Amino acid sequence: MNFDDFVYLVFLIFSILFGQFYRQIENDDKKKKIGALVGFLIIFVVSNLHILHILITILVNALIILYIDKRFCHIISFIFSFSYLIFFRLTAYFDIPYPPSHTNLIQMILTLKLVGLAYEVNTGIKNARTQETDKSSEVLKLDIKDIFYYSFNYIGVLTGPYFKYKTFLEHLHRPFYKYDNPKKAAMEKVFPWIPIFSSIFLLTEYCWPIEYTQTEEFKTRSFLYRYWYIWPTFLNFRMRIYIGLLLSEVVCIMGGMGVYPVFCKSRPGHGPTENLDQLDEICKAESDLKITQYDYETVHSINFYGTELEPTLRQGMKNWNMTVQYWLATCIYKRFPNKQYRTFATMFVSGVWHGVHSGYYISVGMIPFGLIVEDIWVEILLSDEFYVPQKLGYIIMLFLKMQFFSYAALAFSLKDVTKIIHYYNLVYHWMIFFTIFMFRFGRYLVERKRKYLRNK
């Protein structure tokens, strides 16, 4: 474990422990001030003077959201926030010291929160003008202090998950956090998964370090070994993300963020989706609040069962970093004007958000092509009309999914284009040729199937 990971872990544990005190604060005004103060101190400790980037991002976005026409504020906020995010990562070219890696994490989640807030404001105004009654996107009444409290709140300030401003408001004003069972919910996240994932992470980090792919010794290994190496490195990558996201969820649970009654059928990132009138009514009846079941689906970031066991790329991605997936779907995919290119646009924005390293674009850029090929083979292997045994089709699709993800994730982990090309040269860019073959062969089989069905 490197030093940055250690610092990351320390602040996660601190935030979990602090949540036991934070959730006991009943005064809303005091609670949001203390939450913002603690978040500010965390940012200052890891960022020092680089906190200026955070302050600039919040202040400019606050001015955009409050004073720009609400019909366009979300577009202006998006352009500014992502432009500043790119500048933030290129400061060395302007003779400005490069920010610490943890400040980069803060800037990433802050970008989603502030752009997401602008979209919330735009949606609320749009619904009001069209007289739509959507309780999940009401007109927000904001001032600059509200935006600072939301931006600096310690929950998720360093690690995420993404949660809407409406979720932030309701964690202050709704009484649900007084009646749930946070310790039970937190223990279900921690045990046995964190010890298992940590053990696998440390083992793979020690036995199959990704830096080994750049050594002279690695070149002497057989082709099969060099290609197989993407499997343990991707396993290490997944374990690291699983640990961080699960602990981030525990921070939310202990702080009372994103807790709602089960009957609301909350979705990651979005919050409650059903029975919203009943949600208002139950807040007035303490006897009902005591017997109601609660969940934290609103801040649920990772479903590792789905990530590991769903047989397709599309399903796997939907279960990965789900609150960020929600933001991408809501703010980019659904709003992009050209349906033909919205998947590419969403993946491009995802790449920009993750960083300026070429490896992010190479990795994320592979996904749309993988989805095109996958859709063909879903029709072949997961369709009854092809008479492929269901279990066999599932196993083949699962293998292909993990193979593709592992190959793409290596570029994400190596980051630098020189290192990426060095590795891909060592395996002769096998996945590119394999994907082309699968596309052509899959199209042939599908055409034969359709011809058979027409003549049947």
Side-chain angles (χ1 to χ4, degrees), residues 63-96:
L63 295 175
I64 291 170
I65 292 167
L66 295 174
Y67 299 111
I68 296 292
D69 191 319
K70 303 302 182 288
R71 292 174 298 171
F72 313 113
C73 68
H74 60 300
I75 298 174
I76 306 300
S77 173
F78 177 88
I79 293 171
F80 165 74
S81 298
F82 275 84
S83 298
Y84 196 86
L85 185 62
I86 294 170
F87 163 76
F88 169 86
R89 290 160 171 166
L90 298 174
T91 51
Y93 292 95
F94 300 92
D95 292 327
I96 301 172

Short mmCIF file of all heavy atoms in Angstrom, two decimals, residues 63-96:
data_model
loop_
_atom_site.label_atom_id
_atom_site.label_comp_id
_atom_site.label_asym_id
_atom_site.label_seq_id
_atom_site.Cartn_x
_atom_site.Cartn_y
_atom_site.Cartn_z
N LEU A 63 -21.91 31.54 -8.32
CA LEU A 63 -22.33 32.72 -9.07
C LEU A 63 -23.10 32.32 -10.33
O LEU A 63 -24.11 32.95 -10.68
CB LEU A 63 -21.11 33.57 -9.44
CG LEU A 63 -20.34 34.18 -8.26
CD1 LEU A 63 -19.08 34.89 -8.75
CD2 LEU A 63 -21.23 35.16 -7.48
N ILE A 64 -22.64 31.26 -10.99
CA ILE A 64 -23.34 30.77 -12.20
C ILE A 64 -24.75 30.30 -11.84
O ILE A 64 -25.74 30.66 -12.48
CB ILE A 64 -22.55 29.63 -12.85
CG1 ILE A 64 -21.24 30.16 -13.46
CG2 ILE A 64 -23.39 28.94 -13.93
CD1 ILE A 64 -20.28 29.08 -13.91
N ILE A 65 -24.85 29.48 -10.79
CA ILE A 65 -26.13 28.89 -10.41
C ILE A 65 -27.11 29.95 -9.92
O ILE A 65 -28.31 29.90 -10.21
CB ILE A 65 -25.91 27.80 -9.35
CG1 ILE A 65 -25.17 26.60 -9.96
CG2 ILE A 65 -27.24 27.35 -8.73
CD1 ILE A 65 -24.64 25.62 -8.94
N LEU A 66 -26.61 30.94 -9.19
CA LEU A 66 -27.48 31.94 -8.59
C LEU A 66 -27.88 33.06 -9.54
O LEU A 66 -28.99 33.59 -9.45
CB LEU A 66 -26.81 32.54 -7.34
CG LEU A 66 -26.58 31.57 -6.16
CD1 LEU A 66 -25.80 32.26 -5.07
CD2 LEU A 66 -27.91 31.04 -5.63
N TYR A 67 -26.99 33.42 -10.47
CA TYR A 67 -27.23 34.64 -11.24
C TYR A 67 -27.35 34.45 -12.76
O TYR A 67 -27.79 35.36 -13.45
CB TYR A 67 -26.11 35.65 -10.95
CG TYR A 67 -26.06 36.03 -9.48
CD1 TYR A 67 -25.00 35.63 -8.67
CD2 TYR A 67 -27.11 36.75 -8.90
CE1 TYR A 67 -24.96 35.95 -7.32
CE2 TYR A 67 -27.08 37.07 -7.54
CZ TYR A 67 -26.01 36.67 -6.77
OH TYR A 67 -25.98 36.99 -5.43
N ILE A 68 -26.96 33.30 -13.28
CA ILE A 68 -27.14 33.04 -14.71
C ILE A 68 -28.56 32.53 -14.94
O ILE A 68 -29.13 31.84 -14.10
CB ILE A 68 -26.11 32.00 -15.21
CG1 ILE A 68 -24.68 32.55 -15.08
CG2 ILE A 68 -26.38 31.60 -16.65
CD1 ILE A 68 -24.35 33.70 -16.00
N ASP A 69 -29.11 32.86 -16.09
CA ASP A 69 -30.45 32.39 -16.45
C ASP A 69 -30.54 30.88 -16.22
O ASP A 69 -29.72 30.10 -16.71
CB ASP A 69 -30.71 32.70 -17.94
CG ASP A 69 -32.16 32.48 -18.34
OD1 ASP A 69 -32.75 31.49 -17.88
OD2 ASP A 69 -32.69 33.28 -19.14
N LYS A 70 -31.57 30.48 -15.46
CA LYS A 70 -31.71 29.07 -15.07
C LYS A 70 -31.93 28.14 -16.25
O LYS A 70 -31.73 26.93 -16.14
CB LYS A 70 -32.87 28.92 -14.07
CG LYS A 70 -32.74 29.79 -12.83
CD LYS A 70 -31.46 29.48 -12.07
CE LYS A 70 -31.34 30.29 -10.79
NZ LYS A 70 -31.04 31.72 -11.01
N ARG A 71 -32.29 28.70 -17.41
CA ARG A 71 -32.45 27.86 -18.60
C ARG A 71 -31.10 27.39 -19.14
O ARG A 71 -31.02 26.39 -19.85
CB ARG A 71 -33.19 28.63 -19.70
CG ARG A 71 -34.65 28.93 -19.39
CD ARG A 71 -35.25 29.82 -20.47
NE ARG A 71 -34.58 31.11 -20.54
CZ ARG A 71 -34.79 32.02 -21.50
NH1 ARG A 71 -35.65 31.74 -22.48
NH2 ARG A 71 -34.15 33.17 -21.49
N PHE A 72 -30.03 28.14 -18.77
CA PHE A 72 -28.70 27.84 -19.33
C PHE A 72 -27.64 27.60 -18.27
O PHE A 72 -26.51 27.25 -18.61
CB PHE A 72 -28.23 28.99 -20.23
CG PHE A 72 -29.26 29.48 -21.20
CD1 PHE A 72 -29.80 30.75 -21.08
CD2 PHE A 72 -29.72 28.66 -22.21
CE1 PHE A 72 -30.77 31.19 -21.97
CE2 PHE A 72 -30.67 29.10 -23.11
CZ PHE A 72 -31.21 30.37 -22.99
N CYS A 73 -27.99 27.79 -17.01
CA CYS A 73 -26.95 27.74 -15.96
C CYS A 73 -26.25 26.39 -15.91
O CYS A 73 -25.06 26.31 -15.62
CB CYS A 73 -27.54 28.08 -14.60
SG CYS A 73 -28.71 26.86 -13.95
N HIS A 74 -26.98 25.30 -16.22
CA HIS A 74 -26.37 23.97 -16.16
C HIS A 74 -25.31 23.79 -17.25
O HIS A 74 -24.28 23.14 -17.03
CB HIS A 74 -27.45 22.89 -16.27
CG HIS A 74 -28.26 22.93 -17.52
ND1 HIS A 74 -29.01 24.02 -17.89
CD2 HIS A 74 -28.45 22.01 -18.51
CE1 HIS A 74 -29.62 23.77 -19.02
NE2 HIS A 74 -29.30 22.56 -19.44
N ILE A 75 -25.57 24.40 -18.42
CA ILE A 75 -24.59 24.30 -19.52
C ILE A 75 -23.34 25.10 -19.18
O ILE A 75 -22.21 24.63 -19.37
CB ILE A 75 -25.21 24.80 -20.84
CG1 ILE A 75 -26.41 23.91 -21.21
CG2 ILE A 75 -24.17 24.80 -21.95
CD1 ILE A 75 -27.18 24.40 -22.41
N ILE A 76 -23.53 26.33 -18.65
CA ILE A 76 -22.40 27.18 -18.27
C ILE A 76 -21.60 26.53 -17.15
O ILE A 76 -20.36 26.52 -17.17
CB ILE A 76 -22.87 28.58 -17.84
CG1 ILE A 76 -23.74 29.22 -18.92
CG2 ILE A 76 -21.69 29.47 -17.50
CD1 ILE A 76 -23.04 29.40 -20.25
N SER A 77 -22.30 25.95 -16.17
CA SER A 77 -21.62 25.28 -15.06
C SER A 77 -20.81 24.09 -15.57
O SER A 77 -19.66 23.88 -15.14
CB SER A 77 -22.65 24.79 -14.03
OG SER A 77 -22.05 24.00 -13.04
N PHE A 78 -21.38 23.32 -16.49
CA PHE A 78 -20.66 22.17 -17.05
C PHE A 78 -19.40 22.62 -17.77
O PHE A 78 -18.32 22.05 -17.56
CB PHE A 78 -21.58 21.41 -18.01
CG PHE A 78 -20.92 20.25 -18.69
CD1 PHE A 78 -20.90 19.00 -18.10
CD2 PHE A 78 -20.29 20.41 -19.92
CE1 PHE A 78 -20.28 17.93 -18.72
CE2 PHE A 78 -19.66 19.35 -20.55
CZ PHE A 78 -19.66 18.10 -19.95
N ILE A 79 -19.53 23.63 -18.64
CA ILE A 79 -18.38 24.10 -19.41
C ILE A 79 -17.28 24.63 -18.48
O ILE A 79 -16.10 24.27 -18.64
CB ILE A 79 -18.81 25.20 -20.41
CG1 ILE A 79 -19.72 24.60 -21.49
CG2 ILE A 79 -17.58 25.86 -21.05
CD1 ILE A 79 -20.37 25.64 -22.39
N PHE A 80 -17.67 25.46 -17.51
CA PHE A 80 -16.66 26.00 -16.60
C PHE A 80 -16.02 24.90 -15.77
O PHE A 80 -14.78 24.82 -15.66
CB PHE A 80 -17.27 27.04 -15.65
CG PHE A 80 -16.36 27.35 -14.50
CD1 PHE A 80 -15.22 28.12 -14.68
CD2 PHE A 80 -16.60 26.82 -13.23
CE1 PHE A 80 -14.35 28.38 -13.63
CE2 PHE A 80 -15.74 27.06 -12.17
CZ PHE A 80 -14.61 27.85 -12.38
N SER A 81 -16.83 24.04 -15.16
CA SER A 81 -16.30 23.05 -14.21
C SER A 81 -15.35 22.07 -14.88
O SER A 81 -14.29 21.75 -14.33
CB SER A 81 -17.46 22.29 -13.56
OG SER A 81 -18.28 23.16 -12.83
N PHE A 82 -15.71 21.59 -16.07
CA PHE A 82 -14.83 20.64 -16.73
C PHE A 82 -13.62 21.33 -17.35
O PHE A 82 -12.53 20.74 -17.42
CB PHE A 82 -15.61 19.83 -17.77
CG PHE A 82 -16.30 18.64 -17.17
CD1 PHE A 82 -17.54 18.77 -16.58
CD2 PHE A 82 -15.69 17.40 -17.16
CE1 PHE A 82 -18.18 17.69 -15.99
CE2 PHE A 82 -16.31 16.30 -16.59
CZ PHE A 82 -17.56 16.44 -16.00
N SER A 83 -13.77 22.58 -17.77
CA SER A 83 -12.61 23.34 -18.25
C SER A 83 -11.63 23.57 -17.12
O SER A 83 -10.41 23.42 -17.29
CB SER A 83 -13.05 24.68 -18.84
OG SER A 83 -13.88 24.49 -19.96
N TYR A 84 -12.17 23.90 -15.95
CA TYR A 84 -11.29 24.13 -14.81
C TYR A 84 -10.66 22.82 -14.34
O TYR A 84 -9.50 22.80 -13.90
CB TYR A 84 -12.04 24.79 -13.65
CG TYR A 84 -11.08 25.38 -12.63
CD1 TYR A 84 -10.59 26.66 -12.79
CD2 TYR A 84 -10.64 24.64 -11.53
CE1 TYR A 84 -9.69 27.20 -11.89
CE2 TYR A 84 -9.75 25.16 -10.62
CZ TYR A 84 -9.27 26.44 -10.81
OH TYR A 84 -8.36 26.96 -9.92
N LEU A 85 -11.40 21.74 -14.45
CA LEU A 85 -10.85 20.43 -14.07
C LEU A 85 -9.65 20.08 -14.94
O LEU A 85 -8.64 19.56 -14.46
CB LEU A 85 -11.93 19.36 -14.19
CG LEU A 85 -11.58 17.95 -13.73
CD1 LEU A 85 -11.24 17.92 -12.24
CD2 LEU A 85 -12.73 16.98 -14.02
N ILE A 86 -9.75 20.39 -16.24
CA ILE A 86 -8.63 20.14 -17.15
C ILE A 86 -7.46 21.05 -16.80
O ILE A 86 -6.30 20.60 -16.71
CB ILE A 86 -9.07 20.37 -18.61
CG1 ILE A 86 -10.10 19.31 -19.02
CG2 ILE A 86 -7.87 20.32 -19.56
CD1 ILE A 86 -10.78 19.58 -20.35
N PHE A 87 -7.73 22.35 -16.58
CA PHE A 87 -6.68 23.28 -16.18
C PHE A 87 -6.01 22.83 -14.88
O PHE A 87 -4.78 22.87 -14.74
CB PHE A 87 -7.27 24.69 -16.01
CG PHE A 87 -6.39 25.61 -15.22
CD1 PHE A 87 -5.26 26.18 -15.80
CD2 PHE A 87 -6.67 25.92 -13.89
CE1 PHE A 87 -4.43 27.03 -15.07
CE2 PHE A 87 -5.85 26.76 -13.15
CZ PHE A 87 -4.73 27.32 -13.75
N PHE A 88 -6.83 22.40 -13.93
CA PHE A 88 -6.35 21.94 -12.63
C PHE A 88 -5.30 20.84 -12.77
O PHE A 88 -4.35 20.78 -11.99
CB PHE A 88 -7.57 21.44 -11.84
CG PHE A 88 -7.26 20.69 -10.58
CD1 PHE A 88 -7.06 21.37 -9.40
CD2 PHE A 88 -7.20 19.31 -10.57
CE1 PHE A 88 -6.80 20.69 -8.22
CE2 PHE A 88 -6.94 18.62 -9.41
CZ PHE A 88 -6.74 19.31 -8.23
N ARG A 89 -5.47 20.01 -13.79
CA ARG A 89 -4.55 18.89 -14.00
C ARG A 89 -3.38 19.24 -14.90
O ARG A 89 -2.50 18.41 -15.13
CB ARG A 89 -5.31 17.71 -14.58
CG ARG A 89 -6.26 17.08 -13.56
CD ARG A 89 -7.32 16.26 -14.23
NE ARG A 89 -8.10 15.50 -13.26
CZ ARG A 89 -9.25 14.91 -13.53
NH1 ARG A 89 -9.76 14.99 -14.76
NH2 ARG A 89 -9.90 14.25 -12.61
N LEU A 90 -3.38 20.46 -15.44
CA LEU A 90 -2.29 20.90 -16.31
C LEU A 90 -1.57 22.12 -15.75
O LEU A 90 -0.91 22.85 -16.49
CB LEU A 90 -2.85 21.23 -17.71
CG LEU A 90 -3.51 20.08 -18.47
CD1 LEU A 90 -4.14 20.60 -19.76
CD2 LEU A 90 -2.51 18.97 -18.78
N THR A 91 -1.68 22.32 -14.45
CA THR A 91 -1.11 23.54 -13.85
C THR A 91 0.41 23.62 -14.02
O THR A 91 0.97 24.72 -14.06
CB THR A 91 -1.44 23.60 -12.35
OG1 THR A 91 -1.07 22.36 -11.73
CG2 THR A 91 -2.92 23.85 -12.13
N ALA A 92 1.07 22.45 -14.13
CA ALA A 92 2.53 22.46 -14.29
C ALA A 92 2.95 23.20 -15.55
O ALA A 92 4.03 23.80 -15.60
CB ALA A 92 3.06 21.03 -14.32
N TYR A 93 2.09 23.19 -16.57
CA TYR A 93 2.40 23.89 -17.82
C TYR A 93 2.29 25.41 -17.67
O TYR A 93 2.72 26.15 -18.54
CB TYR A 93 1.46 23.42 -18.93
CG TYR A 93 1.69 21.99 -19.34
CD1 TYR A 93 0.93 20.95 -18.79
CD2 TYR A 93 2.67 21.66 -20.28
CE1 TYR A 93 1.14 19.63 -19.16
CE2 TYR A 93 2.88 20.33 -20.65
CZ TYR A 93 2.11 19.33 -20.10
OH TYR A 93 2.33 18.02 -20.45
N PHE A 94 1.70 25.86 -16.56
CA PHE A 94 1.57 27.29 -16.30
C PHE A 94 2.45 27.72 -15.12
O PHE A 94 2.22 28.75 -14.50
CB PHE A 94 0.11 27.63 -15.99
CG PHE A 94 -0.83 27.31 -17.12
CD1 PHE A 94 -1.47 26.07 -17.16
CD2 PHE A 94 -1.08 28.22 -18.14
CE1 PHE A 94 -2.34 25.76 -18.21
CE2 PHE A 94 -1.94 27.92 -19.17
CZ PHE A 94 -2.57 26.69 -19.21
N ASP A 95 3.46 26.88 -14.82
CA ASP A 95 4.38 27.15 -13.72
C ASP A 95 3.66 27.26 -12.37
O ASP A 95 4.07 28.01 -11.48
CB ASP A 95 5.19 28.43 -13.98
CG ASP A 95 6.15 28.27 -15.14
OD1 ASP A 95 6.66 27.14 -15.32
OD2 ASP A 95 6.41 29.25 -15.85
N ILE A 96 2.58 26.51 -12.24
CA ILE A 96 1.85 26.42 -10.96
C ILE A 96 2.06 25.02 -10.43
O ILE A 96 1.89 24.04 -11.16
CB ILE A 96 0.34 26.69 -11.17
CG1 ILE A 96 0.13 28.08 -11.77
CG2 ILE A 96 -0.41 26.55 -9.86
CD1 ILE A 96 -1.31 28.35 -12.17
#
